[in-house]
Amino acid sequence: MQCRLRLAPLLRAPPPRTLLSRLLSSSYSSPPSSGGGDGSEASSGVAVKQVTRGNLAEALEELRARVRDAAFVGIDLEMSGVTSAPWRDTFELDRADVRYLKLRDSAQRFAALQLGVCPFRWDPAKSAFVAHPHNFFIFPRKELPYDSSSHEFLCQTSSIDFLAKYQFDFNTCFHEGISYLSRAQEEEALQKFNMLHHDATSASPNTSEEGEDVPLKSTADLLFTERMKIRFSEWRDTIRSNSRVDSNLLGSNKFSTDQFQTVFFKMRPAIMLNGFTSHQLKLIQQVLRKNFRDLMYVCTFGEDDTSEKRVVYTDNSDDSILLMNGVQEDLLRSRKARVESAIGVRHVIDLLASERKLIVGHSCFLDIAQVYSKFIGPLPSSMKEFSMGINKIFPHIADTRHLMSANDAVQYLMRQKSKSLSSAFSFLCPAFHSTAAESSTRAPVRIEVEADETMLSCFASGAKHEAGYDAFMTGSVFAQLCAHLDINFEHLTPKENLARNNKLQKYINHISPSFNSGTVLDLSTGTERPDTGYKSRYPAAVYDNIVLIWGFQSALRANDIKDSICKVFGPASITTIFSIDRTAVLVQFSKQESVNDFLDLKATLEGTDSAISVLHPLSTILQGGKTRAANYDTYRDICSSSVSKYFFADQAEAVCPASNTELKCENLDDGDALGINESVIDETANASAQHGEGTKYTSKNQDNSNISCQDILGVLQDGKTLFGKRIRRT
């Protein structure tokens, strides 16, 4: 009733000729007069089917037919977070492998709370697409009683606050959300159950329950075992002495009590054991093993996972084996049925994979990584493995964000427009907005949203940042972009694979790994190429020239670090310095040899306790004694770790011991490493006068005893030249 009241504004009386399924439909015809801003809120009127564990079965049956007839399917996910720490954001200087490691970390740590699926079917009679948005609530609860693992996930407060702002229904998600098993988890569970079944059936019925005898230490135990022996003997003797055993005989007051309920089990006389403690049940099993070869102790499980214990009469040993095998077969079937039920929302992913339809997402790399992590199995360690793996499951994926910059006509259309989903939807699909932004000049592709007349109470008006509605927006934007690529839908049939369209095919399986990657990823090969339409804010990254520095004093800023290094290596020695967070930076040198020079010089300065190490320009960075540095591959290794620390310096210290991160000068004492000896000081001073980097100074020939303060300061100012000469002479 509350759902219907909430939908009341949408349920306007239809004309007599329309069906109930049109009550919640919205037709896209022509754009109204422009107005409002870019990214304005969508108006009400789009019916989105809300799917929980209560109506999953019927929703899957209906969705199967919708997907089979669809030209393409829009998808979207809502998650509990995106990044576990600021340094795990994807940066423009991130190499492809590092960027993937960060996205993999996000997909593994955060939960998928909603899955949006929206099939789009072309209706030639209407010259329009008919959309069916579905919003699946997800919650990873434990479904298998035999699974000892527990599901854990992170929540990013900003993401949760964002979802709450858009009225995300957390109660429905946590109470009625659909659980799931990935393919890997399903396979593991079935293997475990098959192994248990094999072990159980390979054992004889007389030994399958055997264990160590329970010592009868107390008088109560002795009396209990004797009473059980007498009770089972009387019951067995009664069965043996009567050629016909029926319910009247078994149900006589003599044998049926609160604890002993006489029943039939698999066409055999049996006693249901109720209200016994686990200790008493062990004593009963011991009594049966030692005294009754024709009475079998059988434990089965009901639908609610409650155990049911019985003592069953068998005619002979062959009948006992037959009984136990039948019990084990039933148990295996029951376990497999539980696994099938626990698959849950993954049935949706399996459906999309089996139909091999064109899947459409918007900036969807993280979405498909989430799909892989939650519903397929653990994410591979490399971008290429992931790409090839997802391509086998979904061979046709289109990214609307990539489409916006892939064609000159579309680029011109989207010039100076935001590429966010809501902004693109507002611009390209203005008929779904009460006040629309400036619209495209081309007549839009018509889209209708159709509800299921038999499940009206499951529908709600869609809203932005709900997965089902975002999947609808994604598909709608895709349809308009296809029109701007001169793709004609008029003769499209359900059997036609839209991904094979000549005008669209070159854009399929090409996605943007992140908004600032500057690359396009080909999912069919796992390779990346530069995105020609991307304008980088930084010079091209040369990863062999990059040094990672962390652990410096918190008051130190990126520009301070740059100034200190430039005093030694020269004003043109650094092309880029990028702040990872307030505890770490990436420094790109203009020359590759500067990387080792810097790491060696840093190690040497930290190894000496002389005035030189205090007065040296790099002392600003090294102050505090906790500054660390390494090459770019160490940055990759830190990002790949499962350790989760908020600040990068803490993460690095947890992952990398000091001895493994820094290059150190070997076989040099402190003075020699800095070049303070009579054979080098003179050369360095003269070279410094001609060198274009650093502060210039001159000096006369002198030995160590005559080194002046000015000489030391000069050496410190031109540390790179001095240090480089000493290394080469060594």
Side-chain angles (χ1 to χ4, degrees):
M1 178 61 71
Q2 292 179 349
C3 182
R4 291 178 180 273
L5 291 176
R6 190 167 65 252
L7 296 176
L10 305 176
L11 303 179
R12 299 182 176 88
R17 61 184 177 84
T18 60
L19 296 172
L20 182 60
S21 61
R22 294 294 184 272
L23 293 178
L24 286 173
S25 67
S26 179
S27 178
Y28 193 143
S29 54
S30 60
S33 59
S34 62
D38 193 25
S40 61
E41 293 289 345
S43 63
S44 299
V46 174
V48 178
K49 187 166 190 174
Q50 308 296 316
V51 186
T52 62
R53 57 179 175 170
N55 65 328
L56 174 63
E58 55 264 35
L60 277 173
E61 191 64 29
E62 178 260 339
L63 183 63
R64 187 168 286 105
R66 305 297 189 196
V67 171
R68 188 176 300 117
D69 294 337
F72 61 91
V73 181
I75 66 166
D76 184 78
L77 276 86
E78 294 298 331
M79 295 158 266
S80 64
V82 178
T83 55
S84 57
W87 62 269
R88 286 209 187 263
D89 284 334
T90 54
F91 303 138
E92 193 167 319
L93 285 183
D94 284 342
R95 198 167 58 193
D97 55 344
V98 171
R99 185 171 57 251
Y100 171 73
L101 290 171
K102 290 183 176 182
L103 290 167
R104 185 181 70 162
D105 177 83
S106 175
Q108 290 173 333
R109 292 185 187 277
F110 294 101
L113 302 179
Q114 281 183 345
L115 169 65
V117 177
C118 185
F120 284 77
R121 171 179 57 87
W122 178 256
D123 189 335
K126 300 175 181 177
S127 294
F129 277 108
V130 179
H132 298 274
H134 291 66
N135 188 53
F136 293 84
F137 284 92
I138 305 174
F139 186 71
R141 65 176 54 81
K142 179 181 176 180
E143 290 286 352
L144 296 180
Y146 315 103
D147 184 7
S148 60
S149 61
S150 61
H151 295 279
E152 297 177 350
F153 60 86
L154 295 182
C155 286
Q156 189 177 5
T157 53
S158 58
S159 295
I160 298 301
D161 185 58
F162 177 83
L163 292 175
K165 175 184 175 183
Y166 287 95
Q167 289 79 50
F168 185 92
D169 193 342
F170 290 99
N171 277 336
T172 298
C173 180
F174 297 150
H175 287 289
E176 298 297 327
I178 311 163
S179 58
Y180 55 84
L181 288 181
S182 70
R183 292 182 180 181
Q185 289 170 328
E186 178 193 9
E187 182 179 356
E188 182 181 356
L190 291 176
Q191 286 179 347
K192 177 181 178 181
F193 293 155
N194 286 329
M195 186 177 297
L196 290 173
H197 173 69
H198 178 268
D199 292 343
T201 53
S202 61
S204 69
N206 291 328
T207 60
S208 60
E209 291 290 347
E210 286 187 10
E212 294 183 3
D213 287 346
V214 180
L216 305 178
K217 296 181 179 180
S218 66
T219 303
D221 286 350
L222 289 170
L223 292 175
F224 179 81
T225 55
E226 287 301 316
R227 184 160 56 91
M228 291 298 102
K229 187 188 302 182
I230 295 171
R231 190 65 180 266
F232 289 132
S233 293
E234 291 178 349
W235 181 71
R236 184 192 60 177
D237 293 343
T238 301
I239 293 173
R240 284 180 171 178
S241 62
N242 288 272
S243 59
R244 182 183 175 205
V245 179
D246 55 22
S247 58
N248 291 329
L249 175 64
L250 294 181
S252 63
N253 292 334
K254 180 179 179 181
F255 299 112
S256 290
T257 64
D258 290 340
Q259 287 188 312
F260 291 91
Q261 181 184 354
T262 53
V263 294
F264 279 95
F265 179 74
K266 290 187 176 295
M267 306 299 295
R268 297 173 177 86
I271 293 177
M272 183 80 76
L273 304 177
N274 301 315
F276 290 100
T277 66
S278 59
H279 177 67
Q280 289 174 330
L281 289 172
K282 289 180 180 179
L283 292 175
I284 289 175
Q285 293 177 61
Q286 182 169 299
V287 168
L288 296 175
R289 284 198 308 271
K290 291 181 176 296
N291 301 280
F292 303 96
R293 307 303 296 178
D294 51 1
L295 298 185
M296 306 302 300
Y297 179 85
V298 176
C299 180
T300 61
F301 295 89
E303 294 183 358
D304 57 353
D305 295 326
T306 56
S307 61
E308 298 174 347
K309 287 88 174 178
R310 299 178 181 87
V311 175
V312 184
Y313 175 80
T314 57
D315 292 328
N316 49 51
S317 59
D318 291 340
D319 189 33
S320 298
I321 294 174
L322 186 64
L323 169 66
M324 297 309 296
N325 286 342
V327 170
Q328 293 301 324
E329 291 289 345
D330 289 347
L331 182 59
L332 180 62
R333 281 193 294 269
S334 173
R335 286 169 170 172
K336 287 183 176 179
R338 290 300 303 269
V339 172
E340 179 71 14
S341 174
I343 289 173
V345 77
R346 203 202 81 213
H347 282 300
V348 179
I349 303 302
D350 290 344
L351 168 62
L352 297 177
S354 64
E355 293 296 333
R356 304 182 78 79
K357 295 291 184 176
L358 174 60
I359 305 298
V360 180
H362 180 82
S363 198
C364 57
F365 187 86
L366 182 56
D367 287 337
I368 62 177
Q370 274 277 4
V371 167
Y372 197 111
S373 174
K374 301 301 185 291
F375 307 122
I376 307 303
L379 282 163
S381 59
S382 72
M383 176 93 79
K384 185 171 184 178
E385 289 179 273
F386 164 74
S387 300
M388 303 293 280
I390 202 69
N391 187 246
K392 290 180 181 178
I393 300 164
F394 300 116
H396 314 296
I397 296 178
D399 184 355
T400 52
R401 187 182 183 92
H402 171 62
L403 277 174
M404 290 178 195
S405 58
N407 176 275
D408 291 340
V410 177
Q411 280 189 40
Y412 181 79
L413 172 71
M414 300 300 297
R415 66 192 185 281
Q416 297 180 342
K417 300 293 181 184
S418 170
K419 291 185 179 180
S420 70
L421 177 59
S422 59
S423 297
F425 182 69
S426 175
F427 175 63
L428 295 170
C429 311
F432 287 98
H433 293 259
S434 55
T435 56
E438 175 192 356
S439 61
S440 59
T441 56
R442 183 186 293 264
V445 178
R446 294 183 63 246
I447 297 174
E448 289 188 2
V449 181
E450 196 172 72
D452 181 0
E453 59 196 42
T454 63
M455 297 294 294
L456 188 60
S457 62
C458 295
F459 285 86
S461 179
K464 190 168 67 171
H465 302 301
E466 174 193 73
Y469 187 74
D470 282 3
F472 163 73
M473 288 200 297
T474 299
S476 299
V477 167
F478 174 75
Q480 310 310 319
L481 290 174
C482 285
H484 286 279
L485 293 173
D486 294 324
I487 296 174
N488 189 348
F489 298 115
E490 289 299 328
H491 302 292
L492 187 65
T493 63
K495 294 183 179 180
E496 182 179 348
N497 190 342
L498 186 59
R500 302 296 185 190
N501 184 284
N502 291 333
K503 296 179 180 178
L504 184 62
Q505 190 173 5
K506 62 181 178 180
Y507 305 116
I508 301 302
N509 292 328
H510 289 83
I511 67 173
S512 302
S514 66
F515 75 96
N516 60 0
S517 67
T519 61
V520 176
L521 171 65
D522 185 346
L523 291 175
S524 61
T525 62
T527 58
E528 289 189 64
R529 60 171 174 80
D531 183 354
T532 55
Y534 183 79
K535 295 181 179 179
S536 177
R537 295 183 300 165
Y538 301 96
V542 182
Y543 297 104
D544 288 341
N545 294 11
I546 292 179
V547 168
L548 167 69
I549 305 175
W550 74 89
F552 43 79
Q553 298 260 330
S554 59
L556 208 59
R557 297 294 178 259
N559 284 337
D560 300 328
I561 296 173
K562 180 179 180 181
D563 291 343
S564 296
I565 296 175
C566 287
K567 287 179 181 178
V568 178
F569 290 84
S573 59
I574 294 178
T575 60
T576 307
I577 185 163
F578 183 86
S579 180
I580 296 174
D581 64 9
R582 66 182 180 87
T583 69
V585 295
L586 291 172
V587 178
Q588 178 167 299
F589 287 92
S590 57
K591 298 178 181 179
Q592 183 177 346
E593 57 265 24
S594 299
V595 172
N596 285 341
D597 287 350
F598 171 81
L599 293 173
D600 289 342
L601 177 57
K602 173 185 175 298
T604 304
L605 287 171
E606 289 175 327
T608 182
D609 195 23
S610 66
I612 295 176
S613 62
V614 177
L615 298 174
H616 198 279
L618 290 187
S619 63
T620 303
I621 304 174
L622 305 181
Q623 187 177 0
K626 295 183 178 180
T627 303
R628 307 270 297 283
N631 58 24
Y632 193 87
D633 285 341
T634 301
Y635 176 55
R636 176 205 59 202
D637 295 340
I638 293 170
C639 290
S640 69
S641 172
S642 60
V643 175
S644 182
K645 302 291 184 180
Y646 186 79
F647 290 113
F648 185 87
D650 296 334
Q651 174 80 8
E653 289 304 309
V655 174
C656 297
S659 59
N660 291 342
T661 60
E662 296 178 345
L663 303 177
K664 298 180 181 299
C665 295
E666 298 179 356
N667 303 321
L668 296 176
D669 60 38
D670 295 340
D672 285 345
L674 284 172
I676 307 301
N677 59 51
E678 59 183 348
S679 64
V680 176
I681 191 83
D682 216 23
E683 293 181 36
T684 305
N686 293 331
S688 176
Q690 303 174 5
H691 200 278
E693 298 178 356
T695 303
K696 301 177 177 57
Y697 69 99
T698 58
S699 176
K700 298 179 180 179
N701 292 340
Q702 52 192 315
D703 57 23
N704 283 351
S705 61
N706 295 324
I707 296 176
S708 67
C709 180
Q710 182 60 40
D711 294 328
I712 295 175
L713 291 176
V715 170
L716 293 174
Q717 289 291 344
D718 200 27
K720 174 181 178 294
T721 301
L722 177 65
F723 187 72
K725 282 182 174 291
R726 185 65 188 98
I727 291 296
R728 284 191 292 272
R729 293 171 64 93
T730 304

